[in-house]
Every structure is written in structure tokens, then in C-alpha cells.
Amino acid sequence: MKLIFKIAKAELRNLFYSPIAWFLTIAFIVECAFSYTKLINQYASQQEMGGMGLQYMRQLTYSVFTSQFGLFGGIMQNLYLYIPLLTMGLISREINGGTISLLYSSPVKIREIVFGKYLAMMVYSFILLFVIGIFMMAGIFDIKSADYGMLLAAALGFYLLLCAYSAIGLFMSSLTSYQIVAAVSTFVMIGILSYIGTLWQGINFVRDLTYFLSLSGRTHHMLGGLITTKDVIYFIVIVYIFLGLTIYKLQSGRETKPWYVSAGRYIAIVVFALIIGYISSRPSLIGYWDTTTNQDNTLTPNAQQIIKELGKDKLEITVYNNFLDNYSWFGLPEQRNEYLERWEPYLRFKTDIDFHYVSYYDTPLALGYDLFGSYKGKTMKQIAEQRAKGSDLKLSAFETPEQIHKEIDLKPEMNRFVMKLTYKGRSTFLRVFNDQMTWPSETEVSAAFKRLLQANMPVIGFVTGDGERKTSKKGDREYKTVTTDKTSRYALINQGFNVDTLSLSTQEIPDNIKALVIADPQSELSAVAIQKIQAYIAKGGNLLIAGESGRQQMLNPLLKTLGVQLMNGMLEQESEDYAPTLVLPHLTKAAIGFSKSLDRPSVDTLPVSMNGVAGLSYHDTSGFHAQPLLVTKAGAVTNTMKRNPDLDIVNNKEDANAGQAGGITVSSGGYARAVHVMSVGGEKLQKFGAKSLVKPSALTPKNTNTSKDTFITALALTRQIGGKQQRIIISGDADLLSNSELGRYEPQVANFYFSTALFSWLDYGEFPVNTSRPDAKDNRVTVSTDHVAFLKIIYIYILPGLILIFSAVFLIRRKRK
């Protein structure tokens, strides 16, 4: 061991007695300084400007240090340029100078020589780690509540990558007497190891081996704050391979052995390393350490609990991949390892998931364009053959339409890429979605797992028969997007709900209905329907009632029993860009409390779009506690007596008295007061009594002042009945859940979040599964742009300048000696 340290010390002396080590160290400092100060100045400037930009300042530790464009991300992309320049002379210098013969004849063992030189590189790598550690410490002071764990994990990944590059460079240096050739060979070998993970991915066994050997993305987990035994062992194996090859290469110069003996040694090293790597990458043998503050790389407690309930029973996931579908690349053999990586967070807690893959070709039913029109005159088989040839695949690897039809009917899934989950005789489908994220998130996966565990999923029943909004239609006014659209992530069926329809004229309301939805009937509800609904309410059933201006008389008889009325007329909001019928009320604190998805700075200030909305008035609520959910801004909205231009039904006089004055006790935030509700010329909704005991903010959205001309457009009613809280939501507009409003891009609205929150509240929060995480605390910087300018001078000029002066004096004195 002493000899190893002596050799390492001598090698470090050689490194720093030449300008190359000093030059690379200074260049590394300057590169780190430029990257860090640029990023920290960017966020300091964004913070000083304020406004909407502050909403995007989150997880700054990740953004500044470990993201693709962060300090570590940028440095690691260029790291291969540093190490070969240092390792190129480690052994080639000995070979070129003839001193290798002296080493062979000395009592020093070959492995001691190799370990000593490699130890020297480990020390120099630690110096580079110390340099980047300077900026890590700066980040801890410059970023509010920086995530220390993420930084330490990233530093470990950085150091292991340096050690791997050093081992590769050491081996390449042993192959030639020319240092330049050794450096170029190191570049090439690093490139090969980075690229090898994309080779032969269509061959099952070879795919696993080449993917394991790949350097590409090996530090990805550690940069994100997740340390796994699989990744750590990988770097150890790479170091073992190249140090072992170096030892045997030098050993062959000392002794004479047949070529097959030498080749056998090399093969044995590689094979043994691959065996270790293969075993260590088995899901049941991988250890995980999430170093992040909020455990960002770990499933949330709710998701973990659901997986725990699955127990040790077998879970099978079968991929059905239609080669002609837009998302077929998910299921191609070349993408198999990336597919499994997406499941790694779940394999961490259930290691025995069994994956199966079925590839086929059939007519895609949700392609978005005419497939046969794009391939005129060709049959489906000919189209598949042409695509397979272009993708360098064999059509024989895909099942024909006839074969897949015998196995399973995928038409209900529109012949898209889909995963079938099977567990203890139950099965459900997990889908990909038409959005930027595409892949199902932890929420959708958890909902699918829960479907396998529960025999009875919550059912949302939609009333039909009187022209109500339909759950199966794609028209602007319909409700398919929010209910049954399998390509929509936030559709109820993808969030754990079952959706059913029922006609109250011919059907009874089933006991398994979690919530009943009555959305904009176009004709008056029959006495039988009202009787069934009232009986459902009397039993404590949850309900969502959505009306529409111009059709107030259809629902007011029913709403009258709840003490609520749709006001005459239609609310209008003046706008330079949009029709006055588009009203944009804001969320109240009560509405924001429905879901954590609403209680976020970027969401809780967004309005909800309501096109053609009637105001709500209420008085005697029959024991229900009323809470406004959506309220217009003071003075921004007026109530006109115009008929909704989108409706063909003229207002009748049945609700002429809607909104007349009455008394109601409304509470919010622990206060209560009497509110007088009245309609004066259709323009006033509320007039607060002089003896108010409630804070004015109780009936207004967040950051909105109370005014007489604010209108309530949605409210919630609650009461205790039968040992549970009954929940009812009433909206003056049915369009807020419609396909058109959920697809609205401008103005930016919260309809998607709000619609999900409504059904979550009606379901008592069971679905969607809550997989939210605490907000990251590292959302601000503690420095100003002026201070960053000062830091630039220190990091970019003074610190490298001092090292340059020191190195110059050191080298000059050394030369004189």
C-alpha cells in the first residue's frame, strides 16, 4: 500500500510540474464561474423584475445546478475534454521514455503501478470536485433553502464519472507510446461507451448488456438527487474493467503467454463485470436513497400505500402496441429499456411486476388524420410493410389484425398504444394521452392500481332524457372531454371514476351513484324526475346541478327546494377581445380548498371561463350551509335581461320572483352574518347588512374586494345527514365543464383544474388519488444583480488569476531548481 501511495505522489508531482494540470484547473474554474454566474444572474434579474415571472421561480437548486442547462449538466457534457489530456501520458510516457523496462525489472508489482497512477487521477479528480464544491457552497448562500441533498448526490455522480473517465484514459495510455494517440483513443472509447446503449436494442439479451455498458445518462438519477446501488456499482464495474485490462496489458509485456491466454484474461474480466452488472440491476436487488428535501424521486405516501395493498400477488402489465398508431414508438423493442425506466419508481416498491409485450398492426381509430388517404390505393398490410421497411423492422414481428382480434378486442381503446394491468383476475387499462406529458403520471397509475384493488369504483351518474349535456359526444357543448374521453388525462374514467348515464323517467337512481349530475336540461323536468331527485337528496346523495341563462325555468323549481335560484337575465363582462357573454369569475377560498391542485400560486389566481352564465341567488337553504365558489370581480360584470344568444328557448315567467329578498346565514373562515339577497334591475346581487359579523372577504375571491355589484356564479351546499356530509354544487353555467371551455387556450383559465376539483370534492377526495407534493422552498435567490456582478469579478477574474500567478511562480521556481 505504501508503494501505491508513493507512485501516486510521484505521478501528482509530474502532473503539477507541467503546465497542463494547472491550465486545465484554471480553465475548469472559469467554465464553472461563467456557468454559475450566468444562471444565478438570470434568476436574480427575474426576481427583481417581479410579476408573473416569479411563478416560474421554483426548484432553483435543480435549475441552477443539476438540470440539463445547469452547472453540473453543462460541465459534464464537456468533461470528456479534460480527462484525456491528463491521462494520455500516464503510461505512454513510460513506454516512450523507455522507463517501462525499468518498472518491469523492478520488484514493484504491475497492479501497484496501475493503482498508484489511478490513485493520482482520483486525487486530481477530487481537486476538480473541490472546485465545483466552491460554487455549490456559493449556491447554498445565494439560493433560499437550497436542496443540500440534491447537491451532494450530484457531486457524487460528478466524481464517479471523473473516476470512470480516468480508468478509461489510463487503459488507453497503456496501448501506445504516443500521448496524442492515447488522448484521441480515450475520446473514441468514451464516445463508444456513450453510444453503445443504442446498438442492437432489438435483440433481447444483447439489449440488456449494451444498455448496461452505456455511459449515457448514468448520472441522470444522481443529478436529480437519487442515488441507486445500480448506478454506483456501474461506475465501479467500469473502473474494474479498464483497470483490469490495463494490468493484464502491462503484464503481457513482462511475461510471454499464448495469445489465447491473454484473450481469455480480457474476456474473463469483461464477462465477470457484465455478470455483476446484470445481477446488480435486478429490481429486487437495487437499493435507493432519495436525498432531495421533498423526496421528489420517490412515490408519494398515497401511491406507496396503494402499491403496498397489492401485496405479493402477481401483477402483470401487457403492452399492446399498434404499429400504425401515433404512439407506436413507445412499444418498439429499441425503446424497451426506456419503457422499463418509466416504471422504475413503481418497481422500487413492487419488484415482481411481470411485463409482456404484444406488437400488432390494425386500423388506428384516433389517429387524427386519414391513414388510407395518405397511402392512396394501398391496403393496411401494404402500409404496414412500407412503414416496417422504413423503420428497419420485420413485419413478421407484428401480429396481423386477425390474430390480435382473436386475442383481445382493442376497438374500445381505439387501437391505440395501451397497457393492460391484470391482478387477481381483475384487469384495467392504463393509457397514454394527447398532451405534452403523454405518459400517465403517478395519479393515473395509482388510480389504475386502485381499480384492481376495489370491486366498486365511484360512479358519477349523468342524467339524460331532457336534452342534458352528453358524455359521449365531441360537440362544443357536450361533456366528453371531462368524462369519457380516453385520450384526455383529466377525464373521469382516467382518474378512477366510472361514468354512467340514466334517464329519470324510466330508471331509478342506483345506490352506488357517488354523485348525480344534472347539466342544462332543455325541457322541464317531469314531476317523476323531480320526485326521484328530491328523494335522492333526502337520502343524503351528492349532486351537481348546472344551469344556463335563458333556461332558468328548467331547474328553478328543483333549486327552489334548496333555497337557490338562477337569476333572471344573463351576466355580461365587457372585454376588448372577447364577447361580453364570456364571464371570468374567480375562485373563492372555499373553492381553492377543494383540491391541492387549485391551491397553487400559478392556479389560484386564474379565472374560470363561463360562457352565458346566470347569477345565483339564495335565501332559505333548508339546513344547508352555503359557500360561494365562483364570484365575479367587483364592478366588472352586469346582469342584463338579454336572452342568451346560444339558446332557442325564451325565458318564461316561472322564475320571475327568483332572487327576491330573504335571509340566510352564510359562514366563512369561522364567522357568520346575515346576507340580504335581492335583484334590483337585474344588476345587484347582494347587499350586506349594517350589523355584519363576517369578514367581507368571505364571499369574494382571493385578493378581491367586496362590492355590491359582485355576482356569485357557483356555490356549494353542505349539511350533515346520515353520519356523513352531503355535498351539492350549483352552477349558473353548464359550459364551464364543456368540451369547448376545457379546450380554451385564451384567456388562460382554471377550468381543467376546477372541474377535477369539483368531482374530487363530491367524492370526498378519494379520487383522483392525491399525489401532490409540498412546494419546493428553494424558490428565491438571496442576491441582487449588482451583487452577482461583484461575484463575477471574484469567480471569473480574481480566483483564476490568483491560481495563475501561484502556478507561474511554482513552475518558474521548479525550473530554476
Side-chain angles (χ1 to χ4, degrees), residues 160-214:
L160 289 176
L161 187 62
L162 281 173
C163 292
Y165 284 173
S166 299
I168 295 170
L170 181 61
F171 172 64
M172 292 301 165
S173 181
S174 71
L175 298 179
T176 177
S177 60
Y178 299 99
Q179 295 187 27
I180 298 299
V181 174
V184 173
S185 299
T186 304
F187 290 139
V188 172
M189 180 54 68
I190 292 174
I192 290 173
L193 287 177
S194 299
Y195 181 71
I196 197 172
T198 63
L199 300 177
W200 308 300
Q201 292 298 292
I203 307 172
N204 290 335
F205 180 70
V206 178
R207 175 176 59 240
D208 293 336
L209 295 181
T210 56
Y211 193 75
F212 169 75
L213 286 174
S214 177

Side-chain angles (χ1 to χ4, degrees), residues 446-463:
S446 298
F449 285 165
K450 210 163 183 179
R451 278 186 178 274
L452 299 175
L453 291 168
Q454 294 184 195
N456 299 316
M457 300 298 289
V459 178
I460 306 297
F462 286 78
V463 174

